[in-house]
Amino acid sequence: MVDADLSKYFDTILHSELLKSVAARIADRDMLRLVKQWLKAPVEEQAGKGGKRITGGKSVTKGTPQGGVISPILANRYMNRFLKYWEKTKQPQRLRARIVSYADDFVILSCGRAAEALDWTRGVMNRLGLTLNEGKTKLRNARQERFEFLGYSFGPHRHWRDGRWYLGASPSPKSVARARQKVRDVLRASQTEPWPDVRNRLNAVLRGWDAYFCYGTRKKTNRTIDNHVVQNVRGFLRRRHKVRSRSTVRFGYEAIFGDMGVYSLSRNWKPVRR
């Protein structure tokens, strides 16, 4: 398979080619003019040491402003050129492959012809004015090594009970680290909101995680995050109530996930054994 990564995708989209792609679907000249103005709009960005800088403007010929409300739509429209050309030239049949994509993130799954798929992709991307990040784009054997895609880690996993290997999916380490950081951000020491408001914000983070990572192997990860939540909620409430003891009973698993109403991912309230 090809684990692909585009280098500075949003910054390298050619305006002329992008507008051709948009014009193929939209005939309204006023709308096309408005899209062009969006692309040419100057953007104020934060620079180093608290300074600011202006990017974009009338002289710029490529790039869509990151953070702009229309940028994801335009980026998807431009990426669609690559996906259509892939189908039009019958690469799925020739390379025995398929592309799985989301915006500018994509992987190519191939039965023994991944190297050819990568060479073909590199050439087409160059013609589109885009560049593969050679340092991050890799050929992988998905049956023997993992790869990360859209927050998941795909590939061989070891069953926790009998140790056998199987092909599956689980939340990636980076996703787990981000979830733990979001929990710490909600329960930061400077937080002064009433506990019900803090709890609701925390539950929104946890429910969002639970809704997205609803596929694959996640039992151990969910228990790990539950433990992290308990430790941080306990520390937060101890500081707020100025409790000196460890409060493992007062702010224990059953209290936090029960009466206090914190959302549990694993729903068994047992700490992970290390």
Side-chain angles (χ1 to χ4, degrees), residues 49-67:
K49 297 181 180 180
K52 296 181 180 180
R53 63 182 178 186
I54 302 296
T55 60
K58 294 182 179 180
S59 62
V60 174
T61 60
K62 61 183 180 180
T64 60
Q66 293 199 42

Side-chain angles (χ1 to χ4, degrees), residues 9 13-28 31-32 35 39 64 73-85 127-130:
Y9 176 64
I13 296 176
L14 296 172
H15 288 180
S16 57
E17 297 302 316
L18 174 59
L19 289 171
K20 288 179 183 178
S21 297
V22 175
R25 296 295 300 271
I26 298 176
D28 189 324
M31 179 57 70
L32 293 174
V35 171
L39 294 174
T64 60
I73 297 176
L74 296 178
N76 281 333
R77 180 61 187 160
Y78 196 68
M79 188 67 181
N80 195 50
R81 301 183 76 181
F82 168 72
L83 300 176
K84 278 192 171 182
Y85 191 62
R127 287 160 57 185
L128 290 173
L130 305 173

Side-chain angles (χ1 to χ4, degrees), residues 91-106:
Q91 299 307 315
Q93 296 79 16
R94 185 180 77 85
L95 298 173
R96 300 172 62 199
R98 63 177 296 182
I99 292 179
V100 181
S101 67
Y102 181 83
D104 61 318
D105 292 328
F106 68 97

Side-chain angles (χ1 to χ4, degrees), residues 9 31 77 95 121 130 137 180 185 207 219 232 262 266:
Y9 176 64
M31 179 57 70
R77 180 61 187 160
L95 298 173
T121 299
L130 305 173
T137 299
R180 291 164 66 98
D185 290 343
R207 285 195 173 95
K219 181 177 181 180
N232 281 266
V262 175
S266 59

Side-chain angles (χ1 to χ4, degrees), residues 24-54:
R25 296 295 300 271
I26 298 176
D28 189 324
R29 293 184 178 181
D30 292 333
M31 179 57 70
L32 293 174
R33 189 179 302 111
L34 182 59
V35 171
K36 186 175 182 179
Q37 290 175 348
W38 263 320
L39 294 174
K40 300 292 185 180
V43 178
E44 184 180 277
E45 298 178 339
Q46 294 292 330
K49 297 181 180 180
K52 296 181 180 180
R53 63 182 178 186
I54 302 296

